[in-house]
Amino acid sequence: IQFLPGFTDHYYPVAPGSTAEGRSLEVAPASANDLGDFKDKVRDSHIDPHRICVSEFLAWGGLVNRRHHDHALKAERVKSNMRTGGAALITHLLRELLARDVVPFLEVGVEKLLREDGTILGVVAGTGREVRARRGVVLATGGWEGDAEICSQFEGLPYWRSPFPAAVSGD
């Protein structure tokens, strides 16, 4: 993970506490090919930038200044099934889970956490199945940007149309 110097906060200067220098971080690109049977499970972003990092497109003169992009690097990343941005973060995390023999459940909602004496013991899945944890529970959820009601409430964007997949619903 690296810091993006000079990349301003999303809401600078209108949000209290935002800064001109920002606090943005980005993760290194990762190949979905490292995920074995799960290599096709990490979706690539369908919005720009594809296969490039923020630091790269900033150094190349911006996202829409494609004339100065490193097209050979982009082509190599497509060939190598590389992910960037949030998809790269998920790829790195999933690779580490798989290396530890953790079996992730995909496309399974969680109805509630199983608790006892303040300790999380597992979850009740959307299917009604109880899943007990041996060492911990990780909830990897989508962002709230796909939920029009939440977006309207927090962003003040009543006509928001999300560019994200429907699965990014904030649950």
Side-chain angles (χ1 to χ4, degrees):
I1 293 184
Q2 67 181 22
F3 176 65
L4 292 171
F7 193 66
T8 62
D9 280 348
H10 187 65
Y11 295 106
Y12 178 80
V14 297
S18 63
T19 67
E21 285 299 309
R23 293 173 273 256
S24 294
L25 302 172
E26 74 177 350
V27 67
S31 176
N33 291 338
D34 295 341
L35 302 176
D37 292 342
F38 287 86
K39 77 176 188 169
D40 296 323
K41 299 297 183 184
V42 178
R43 296 181 189 127
D44 191 18
S45 175
H46 68 285
I47 58 174
D48 277 335
H50 288 286
R51 316 293 174 123
I52 59 175
C53 299
V54 173
S55 59
E56 291 166 336
F57 76 70
L58 289 175
W60 298 340
L63 184 58
V64 296
N65 188 10
R66 295 175 192 260
R67 180 177 49 196
H68 297 291
H69 286 196
D70 185 338
H71 298 286
L73 174 66
K74 289 165 62 173
E76 178 56 36
R77 287 192 179 155
V78 168
K79 183 179 174 185
S80 301
N81 203 14
M82 298 297 280
R83 301 291 186 261
T84 56
L89 177 62
I90 296 303
T91 300
H92 284 293
L93 293 172
L94 182 55
R95 183 185 63 230
E96 293 305 313
L97 288 172
L98 295 171
R100 289 164 176 77
D101 295 322
V102 173
V103 179
F105 294 108
L106 305 179
E107 300 180 29
V108 176
V110 171
E111 293 298 317
K112 68 179 182 178
L113 298 173
L114 295 174
R115 301 176 196 211
E116 185 177 296
D117 298 326
T119 301
I120 304 298
L121 302 174
V123 301
V124 176
T127 61
R129 177 181 173 194
E130 280 192 10
V131 181
R132 298 272 174 168
R134 286 177 284 184
R135 298 182 69 190
V137 174
V138 176
L139 302 175
T141 66
W144 51 267
E145 297 91 343
D147 185 299
E149 183 178 325
I150 294 173
C151 219
S152 177
Q153 180 181 354
F154 291 108
E155 294 281 356
L157 301 170
Y159 304 107
W160 172 255
R161 291 187 64 212
S162 175
F164 303 107
V168 180
S169 61
D171 62 352

